Amino acid sequence: SGWKLVHADVLRAPINHPMLFAASIGTGVQIIVCGFLSVFFCALGFLSPANRGSIMMGMLCFFVITAGLAGYISARLFKTFGGSGWQRCTLLTALGFPGLCFSVFFILNILIWTYNSTGAVPVSSMLTILFLWFLISVPLVFIGAYKGYQQDVLEYPVVTSNIPRLIPEQEWYLHPVVTSMVFGILPFGASFVELFFIMSSVWMDQYYYVFGFLLLVMIILAITCAEMSILLTYFQLCKEDYHWWWRSFITAGSCAVYVFLYSMLYFTRLEANMMITYVMYISYMFIACLGLFLMTG
């Protein structure tokens, strides 16, 4: 059958942006661990929405603490791909997603200041975030990357051939856009109901307390994304297409696209009447959906 014909190419390193792929995997694992720890401690009652800011501070601390894990995984995966210059991969892991989040947050905070709003974050809090990022998170990423690059490369059960196999022309239904849109529906559907209550809690000042059920939904979401990626990879290999690294990542992460589209529909419930409200909502939801994309991918 088709998948047996590509046994010597199936574990060939991705040809497009292997450094970005390794950094995305490392950051995604960091977000997964941070998310599960946050929801787990919320379910135990250590973090409560009744204590204003405790959940956000807990998530920030967990994200900083797990930075070493992101550096370790990205560096070891990048070494397995045969990449050189692990320092650049580590910098991309340490500054990529956190840098984008901080930049958006900083720009939006400046816009809020111009409106003289009391919701603006003070300068001292911004400096605290920078302290956690550059003096704790970034060093942890480099320490983890150094440990990861010292490890042996991941051993594959098959030997990769020196000459890449020619990939036959694929059917239209195996196009990356088609597969991403189709296979992303099921993970979105698995968390759709809970997503509504989370959005209401964030944007409509409603309290959310059922963190035990949210933890169960996160486990179901993780299993669903893994099964969708495995199923698509099997279909792809049966058609003798061994470029599965990015395809499996994007397919599972495509549920974030549906979440973003749903957030745009949910925005109609907020009755916004100021331009700053549109900018803040779209920017924050974009960052949240990008984190979900990395996590599910």
Side-chain angles (χ1 to χ4, degrees):
S1 59
W3 65 271
K4 294 182 180 179
L5 299 177
V6 295
H7 71 279
D9 297 277
V10 67
L11 294 175
R12 190 180 301 279
I15 58 176
N16 296 323
H17 312 293
M19 181 183 297
L20 178 61
F21 183 84
S24 299
I25 293 295
T27 304
V29 172
Q30 180 185 7
I31 297 175
I32 290 175
V33 177
C34 171
F36 271 101
L37 287 177
S38 300
V39 176
F40 178 74
F41 279 94
C42 287
L44 294 179
F46 290 102
L47 301 175
S48 173
N51 187 6
R52 186 176 180 87
S54 62
I55 296 180
M56 183 61 66
M57 183 57 64
M59 293 177 61
L60 183 61
C61 292
F62 286 136
F63 187 81
V64 171
I65 293 172
T66 55
L69 182 63
Y72 177 87
I73 292 178
S74 62
R76 190 173 185 187
L77 185 61
F78 187 60
K79 181 180 180 181
T80 303
F81 291 158
S84 59
W86 63 274
Q87 296 88 348
R88 290 180 298 159
C89 181
T90 306
L91 276 176
L92 182 60
T93 305
L95 304 179
F97 181 71
L100 179 61
C101 292
F102 181 81
S103 300
V104 172
F105 179 71
F106 181 74
I107 294 174
L108 291 178
N109 203 50
I110 292 178
L111 293 177
I112 296 175
W113 279 339
T114 59
Y115 281 83
N116 297 321
S117 173
T118 57
V121 178
V123 178
S124 59
S125 299
M126 301 291 288
L127 293 177
T128 302
I129 295 176
L130 287 175
F131 172 82
L132 292 174
W133 182 17
F134 283 102
L135 297 184
I136 300 179
S137 178
V138 173
L140 285 177
V141 172
F142 272 89
I143 293 174
Y146 177 78
K147 294 294 184 181
Y149 211 75
Q150 294 298 315
Q151 301 294 322
D152 296 332
V153 298
L154 300 175
E155 295 184 0
Y156 293 148
V158 295
V159 179
T160 303
S161 62
N162 295 325
I163 302 175
R165 181 184 177 86
L166 182 64
I167 300 177
E169 185 177 355
Q170 301 296 302
E171 302 290 344
W172 65 269
Y173 53 82
L174 289 178
H175 191 276
V177 176
V178 177
T179 55
S180 298
M181 292 298 99
V182 172
F183 284 85
I185 294 178
L186 194 56
F188 171 73
S191 57
F192 170 75
V193 176
E194 204 65 18
L195 179 62
F196 172 79
F197 294 106
I198 294 176
M199 296 281 289
S200 300
S201 175
V202 173
W203 297 109
M204 301 187 70
D205 294 329
Q206 298 180 7
Y207 286 104
Y208 183 90
Y209 285 102
V210 286
F211 292 102
F213 187 73
L214 178 60
L215 181 62
L216 178 62
V217 171
M218 290 184 65
I219 295 175
I220 294 175
L221 176 64
I223 295 175
T224 305
C225 290
E227 290 178 345
M228 291 297 99
S229 292
I230 294 172
L231 183 62
L232 175 66
T233 302
Y234 175 75
F235 289 154
Q236 187 176 347
L237 294 179
C238 287
K239 295 296 183 178
E240 303 180 32
D241 184 1
Y242 50 84
H243 293 157
W244 61 273
W245 294 92
W246 274 112
R247 180 77 70 87
S248 62
F249 184 90
I250 295 175
T251 299
S254 62
C255 66
V257 177
Y258 288 99
V259 173
F260 185 78
L261 295 177
Y262 173 75
S263 68
M264 296 298 102
L265 179 62
Y266 185 87
F267 185 69
T268 58
R269 299 168 55 92
L270 301 182
E271 299 180 356
N273 55 6
M274 297 178 64
M275 181 57 65
I276 185 63
T277 307
Y278 289 86
V279 175
M280 288 183 60
Y281 182 86
I282 295 175
S283 300
Y284 282 137
M285 288 308 306
F286 173 77
I287 291 297
C289 291
L290 179 60
L292 179 63
F293 175 78
L294 294 173
M295 182 181 74
T296 55

